[in-house]
């Protein structure tokens, strides 16, 4: 089975690559050959060849922006949002394997309906497609203007001004030119998402008219609201014209002449004669209201924006607030994006800080994730906090929302402005932030609130293991049934209680009982037992209670007996597997036999359980163990279990 997948999110930063990674991991786990093409902010990577498409049994498109699908005509194509690629990768792959996926046929209304049903929110998808193409123009324009003001600006009674004859005036003009493309690009790519290429020209023309009030006698244009309206109008008008039945002789010129010309005329005239002036008035009033917000009203806005940014960390709610702030930059109101820029980076920085402040609350893997999260926050990537929220949403999401609201409010009160459609300390380093001191105060305060609150709500790791253990560790714990610990035994890593004599990389037994006998013989030969028969009785008694095959090709037979002289673990590999009546039905290939004296069973079981259960949940580690050929190689891997 060969599958292809495309991942793409509106910003083309974190979600694009998180979905790609999770889909690839799920495919490897299911034994499916998968090639993933990412369409991120730096362009298309790992692009499919014609041979890839020809040989593919199905295609998964996990995207929140428009993806060109014409190359997949005749293939089974599953279309979902990028969040499904992150959260449900196995489910998507299994659905394609089952064949319960439609065959993509270009310009078929049935397929259009199916796509909309799968995507569930086509309006949001079209809007985000336009936003994703608009953002680079805002970033370029904002940074160029910020650099020009920082390096070439002069203080005057009316604020910082750049002399007309200065080189930096040219840089400022270049930034201004970039801003002029903002609304046409937004409109054009909304229309492109709806009607494909025939919608691009009418969308951009409609966006240009929306932004230029002179077409309909208004001093101010209709701004980004008009651009959104123009984009959707152009897209659906072009789509309607595409569906008209025309003579075959006319069909070749439909997408390059008839559809663009008619759509542009309809959208342009509609804006000039009907839509433009009223929308411009609404937008002008909205911009004035926002610019004039003071006191409690501005604080309320900051609370709403901070909560929206952190609620779903790159999802639809986040993007609505982000689009709002980006649009205000284009109108010269930078004090809306300022609080948003602070709120954007607080979730990942706050969660990273939390792992630094109280290490007892986090597993080793979470501590490593905290370092990555903190770094992502410095670059304004909110998605860095997603792994923590996915694992513990009830504690993490309220904590990061409280932190982002705190930072957003402080930034609003401190008149923090941001000239770039992005967030985090990186924008301040690039000179795009007004009132930098308050910007950093906002970020630091919000991050501290998040860190302290989440650490207050979370339990210590040792308490979590006793009461709230993750599902996979519960199954292991249920199998081994440890008792209360005592402190007499000192086991720091697995190789403290195993050695080369207790490792066999090619077990010969063909049944469960044969393997048990073989491993008990190794214990006896090593001098760990007083009686083989008595210890086997303890092992079989435990197996009769419930199978110690915990799944994932793992079995952990164990016995607590007076026949054991000292705690020992035997490790064996049965590459073709043996039936152990495992919980998930898989044959046991990696087998760990635990032998502990009865009087020290509690402490030994607990320590050995902790060592094995954590490490064996790592897919890569299990694969490495199965691949070893010598006892020495196996021992080197077991040495990492501690």
């Amino acid at each position: 089975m060969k599958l292809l997948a495309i991942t793409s999110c509106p910003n083309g930063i974190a979600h694009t690559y998180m979905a790609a990674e999770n889909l690839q991991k799920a495919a490897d786990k299911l034994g499916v050959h998968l090639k993933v093409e990412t369409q991120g902010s730096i362009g298309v990577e790992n692009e499919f060849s014609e041979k890839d498409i020809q040989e593919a049994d199905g295609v998964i498109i996990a995207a929140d922006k428009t993806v060109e699908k014409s190359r997949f005509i005749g293939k089974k194509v599953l279309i979902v949002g990028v969040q499904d690629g992150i959260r449900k990768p196995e489910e998507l792959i299994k659905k394609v394997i089952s064949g319960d996926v439609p065959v993509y046929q270009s310009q078929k209304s049935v397929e259009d309906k199916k796509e909309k049903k799968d995507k569930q929110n086509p309006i949001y998808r079209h809007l985000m497609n336009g936003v994703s193409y608009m953002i680079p123009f805002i970033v370029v324009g904002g940074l160029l203007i910020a650099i020009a003001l920082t390096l070439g600006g002069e203080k005057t009674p009316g604020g910082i001004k750049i002399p007309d004859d200065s080189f930096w005036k040219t840089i400022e003009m270049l930034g201004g030119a970039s801003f002029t493309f903002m609304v046409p690009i937004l409109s054009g790519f909304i229309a492109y998402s709806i009607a494909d290429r025939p919608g691009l020209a009418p969308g951009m023309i409609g966006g240009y008219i929306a932004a230029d009030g002179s077409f309909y006698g208004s001093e101010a244009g209709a701004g980004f609201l008009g651009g959104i309206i123009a984009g959707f109008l152009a897209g659906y008008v072009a789509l309607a014209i595409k569906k008209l039945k025309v003579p075959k002789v006319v069909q070749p010129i439909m997408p390059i002449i008839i559809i663009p010309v008619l759509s542009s005329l309809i959208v342009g005239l509609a804006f000039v004669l009907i839509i433009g002036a009223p929308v411009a008035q609404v937008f002008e009033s909205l911009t004035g209201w926002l610019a004039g917000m003071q006191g409690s009203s501005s604080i309320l806005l900051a609370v709403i924006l901070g909560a929206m940014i952190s609620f779903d960390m790159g999802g639809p709610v986040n993007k609505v607030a982000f689009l709002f702030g980006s649009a205000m930059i284009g109108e010269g109101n930078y004090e809306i994006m300022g609080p948003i820029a602070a709120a954007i980076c607080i979730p990942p920085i706050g969660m990273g800080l939390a792992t630094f402040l109280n290490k007892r609350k986090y597993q080793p893997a979470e501590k490593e994730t905290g370092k990555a999260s903190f770094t992502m926050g410095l670059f304004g990537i909110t998605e860095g906090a997603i792994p923590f929220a996915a694992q513990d949403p009830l504690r993490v999401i309220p904590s990061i929302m409280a932190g982002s609201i705190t930072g957003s409010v402080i930034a609003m009160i401190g008149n923090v402005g941001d000239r770039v459609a992005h967030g985090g300390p990186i924008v301040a380093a690039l000179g795009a932030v007004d009132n930098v001191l308050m910007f950093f105060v906002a970020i630091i305060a919000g991050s501290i609130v998040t860190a302290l609150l989440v650490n207050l709500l979370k339990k210590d790791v040792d308490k979590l293991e006793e009461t709230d253990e993750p599902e996979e560790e519960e199954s292991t714990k249920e199998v081994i049934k440890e008792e209360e610990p005592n402190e007499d035994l000192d086991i720091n890593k697995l190789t403290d209680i195993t050695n080369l004599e207790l490792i066999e990389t090619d077990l010969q037994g063909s049944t469960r009982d044969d393997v048990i006998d073989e491993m008990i013989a190794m214990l006896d030969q090593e001098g760990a037992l007083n009686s083989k028969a008595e210890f086997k009785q303890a092992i079989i008694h435990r197996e009769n209670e419930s199978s110690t095959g915990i799944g994932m090709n793992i079995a952990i037979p164990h016995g607590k007996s007076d026949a054991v002289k000292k705690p020992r673990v035997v490790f064996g590999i049965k590459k073709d597997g043996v039936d152990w009546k495992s919980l998930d039905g898989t044959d046991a290939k990696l087998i760990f036999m635990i032998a502990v004296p009865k009087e020290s069973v509690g402490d030994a079981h607990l320590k050995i359980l902790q060592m094995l259960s954590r490490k064996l949940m790592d897919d890569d580690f299990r694969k490495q163990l199965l691949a070893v050929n010598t006892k020495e190689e196996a021992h080197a891997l077991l040495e990492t279990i501690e």
Side-chain angles (χ1 to χ4, degrees):
M1 174 68 72
K2 291 186 176 181
L3 300 181
L4 302 177
I6 294 176
T7 61
S8 183
C9 67
N11 284 346
I13 305 175
H15 283 176
T16 297
Y17 302 101
M18 291 169 69
E21 183 178 354
N22 286 1
L23 283 166
Q24 191 66 64
K25 283 184 178 179
D28 293 342
K29 180 178 178 181
L30 296 171
V32 174
H33 182 275
L34 177 71
K35 181 175 181 179
V36 185
E37 175 181 297
T38 56
Q39 297 187 6
S41 59
I42 61 173
V44 176
E45 295 177 278
N46 205 29
E47 188 171 3
F48 304 143
S49 66
E50 290 185 12
K51 184 180 179 183
D52 290 331
I53 297 172
Q54 190 175 21
E55 294 178 351
D57 297 301
V59 182
I60 298 169
I61 298 177
D64 283 339
K65 55 182 278 192
T66 299
V67 171
E68 175 61 51
K69 298 181 286 293
S70 60
R71 51 183 167 157
F72 303 128
I73 292 174
K75 294 288 180 181
K76 291 186 175 181
V77 179
L78 175 62
I79 303 171
V80 297
V82 73
Q83 291 287 346
D84 286 345
I86 295 172
R87 296 172 182 170
K88 301 188 288 187
E90 281 192 40
E91 182 181 321
L92 301 182
I93 293 171
K94 287 177 180 177
K95 187 170 183 179
V96 176
I97 293 173
S98 72
D100 185 24
V101 174
V103 174
Y104 180 73
Q105 300 293 339
S106 179
Q107 299 184 24
K108 294 287 185 181
S109 60
V110 173
E111 178 61 22
D112 290 338
K113 290 177 183 176
K114 176 64 179 175
E115 177 178 338
K116 288 180 182 179
K117 182 179 177 183
D118 287 337
K119 295 294 298 215
Q120 295 183 347
N121 194 343
I123 299 299
Y124 170 75
R125 176 166 48 89
H126 301 322
L127 177 61
M128 287 301 104
N129 190 67
V131 170
S132 69
Y133 285 100
M134 175 189 73
I135 286 173
F137 290 87
I138 304 176
V139 171
V140 170
L143 278 178
L144 289 178
I145 292 173
I147 291 169
L149 288 171
T150 302
L151 299 179
E154 297 179 356
K155 292 182 179 180
T156 69
I160 298 177
K161 302 285 185 181
I162 300 174
D164 291 339
D165 58 351
S166 167
F167 165 77
W168 297 108
K169 189 66 177 179
T170 304
I171 303 300
E172 182 191 35
M173 292 170 64
L174 288 174
S178 182
F179 271 138
T180 63
F181 287 101
M182 183 185 79
V183 174
I185 290 293
L186 172 68
S187 302
F189 282 95
I190 289 174
Y192 175 81
S193 178
I194 297 168
D196 215 329
R197 287 187 180 88
L200 184 60
M204 293 191 73
I205 292 168
Y208 181 79
I209 293 171
D212 188 346
S214 64
F215 281 92
Y216 37 86
S218 173
E219 290 185 10
F224 82 99
L225 289 179
I228 291 172
I229 293 170
F232 279 103
L233 180 61
Y236 285 114
V237 167
L239 188 63
I241 297 173
K242 278 174 68 176
K243 292 180 178 180
L244 294 176
K245 291 184 178 180
V246 297
K248 286 186 177 181
V249 70
V250 179
Q251 287 178 356
I253 62 170
M254 284 288 288
I256 58 173
I257 297 178
I258 294 178
I259 297 174
V261 170
L262 285 179
S263 300
S264 298
L265 278 171
I266 292 170
V267 173
L269 291 174
F271 248 90
V272 170
L273 301 175
I274 304 170
I275 302 173
V279 175
Q281 184 58 49
V282 170
F283 186 70
E284 190 175 358
S285 300
L286 174 63
T287 304
W289 174 66
L290 289 171
M293 271 190 147
Q294 294 179 356
S296 60
S297 59
S298 63
I299 291 173
L300 176 61
L301 177 63
V303 169
I304 294 170
L305 292 174
M308 291 176 71
I309 285 294
S310 56
F311 174 70
D312 55 358
M313 292 161 287
V317 177
N318 170 287
K319 287 297 185 292
V320 169
F322 182 78
L323 172 61
F324 182 55
S326 301
M328 290 299 99
I329 291 176
E331 299 304 313
N333 187 343
Y334 307 122
E335 292 185 7
I336 301 299
M337 195 66 202
I340 292 173
I344 280 172
C345 65
I346 286 171
I349 291 177
M351 290 310 303
L353 182 62
T355 64
F356 304 154
L357 293 177
N358 196 334
K359 298 182 183 297
R360 293 179 302 169
K361 304 280 186 180
Y362 303 93
Q363 305 281 6
E366 291 177 306
K367 295 172 190 173
E368 292 302 313
T369 302
K371 296 175 186 176
S373 175
F374 189 89
T375 303
M376 291 172 76
L378 297 179
F379 290 90
I381 301 174
T382 317
E383 291 90 340
I386 286 177
F388 295 99
Q391 185 174 350
D392 192 4
L394 294 180
R395 295 181 180 94
V396 172
I397 292 178
S399 301
I400 62 177
M401 287 180 69
S404 287
I405 289 170
T406 300
S408 181
V409 169
I410 291 172
M412 182 69 80
I413 294 172
N415 297 317
V416 173
D418 180 14
R419 299 169 182 271
V420 177
H422 199 63
I426 183 66
V427 295
L430 294 172
V433 172
D434 300 328
N435 205 341
V436 175
L437 176 61
M438 288 304 296
F439 180 63
F440 279 104
V441 168
I443 292 173
I444 292 168
S447 300
I448 290 173
V449 168
T450 290
L452 294 179
L453 184 56
V454 77
N455 282 346
L456 179 66
L457 295 175
K458 287 178 78 70
K459 297 178 181 179
D460 289 352
V461 169
D462 55 351
K463 293 178 181 177
L464 187 64
E465 287 167 354
E466 293 168 11
T467 60
D468 253 347
E469 201 150 355
E471 192 173 341
E472 66 268 23
E473 293 188 13
E474 281 178 5
S475 63
T476 310
K477 193 172 183 179
E478 216 173 84
V479 169
I480 300 185
K481 295 184 179 177
E482 69 277 12
E483 298 177 2
E484 290 299 315
N486 64 58
E487 299 299 327
D488 297 332
L489 192 65
D490 185 22
I491 302 173
N492 295 313
K493 56 183 180 179
L494 192 65
T495 47
D496 289 340
I497 50 174
T498 194
N499 52 54
L500 291 175
E501 293 179 16
L502 297 177
I503 296 173
E504 178 53 65
T505 58
D506 186 19
L507 291 168
Q508 298 301 307
S510 57
T511 67
R512 183 200 69 177
D513 287 2
D514 290 342
V515 170
I516 287 173
D517 286 338
E518 191 175 347
M519 299 180 87
I520 289 176
M522 294 166 66
L523 281 168
D524 186 56
Q525 187 173 355
E526 202 261 348
L529 302 178
N530 290 318
S531 167
K532 289 196 297 182
E534 189 177 337
F535 180 63
K536 181 176 179 181
Q537 186 177 2
I539 289 283
I540 296 300
H541 176 74
R542 178 62 188 85
E543 292 292 339
N544 289 338
E545 289 181 2
S546 63
S547 172
T548 58
I550 67 170
M552 298 174 291
N553 301 121
I554 301 167
I556 310 180
H558 58 280
K560 40 191 176 183
S561 171
D562 290 331
V564 180
K565 297 178 184 178
K566 51 193 174 183
R568 286 291 180 264
V569 171
V570 185
F571 170 60
I573 300 175
K574 181 70 176 173
K575 293 198 174 180
D576 53 354
V578 61
D579 182 10
W580 214 280
K581 295 181 174 60
S582 297
L583 300 178
D584 63 354
T586 59
D587 288 343
K589 297 182 180 181
L590 301 174
I591 304 161
F592 293 84
M593 178 177 283
I594 302 173
V596 289
K598 201 163 191 176
E599 66 273 11
S600 64
V601 63
D603 188 63
H605 269 77
L606 180 60
K607 287 181 176 289
I608 297 168
L609 167 66
Q610 289 174 336
M611 291 174 184
L612 288 175
S613 63
R614 295 188 195 288
K615 198 69 174 177
L616 291 176
M617 295 307 132
D618 185 332
D619 294 343
D620 291 336
F621 183 75
R622 295 199 305 274
K623 289 177 184 177
Q624 290 172 14
L625 272 181
L626 276 172
V628 301
N629 295 310
T630 67
K631 294 183 179 184
E632 289 76 13
E633 290 176 358
H635 188 273
L637 283 174
L638 296 181
E639 204 163 19
T640 65
I641 301 179
E642 56 185 10

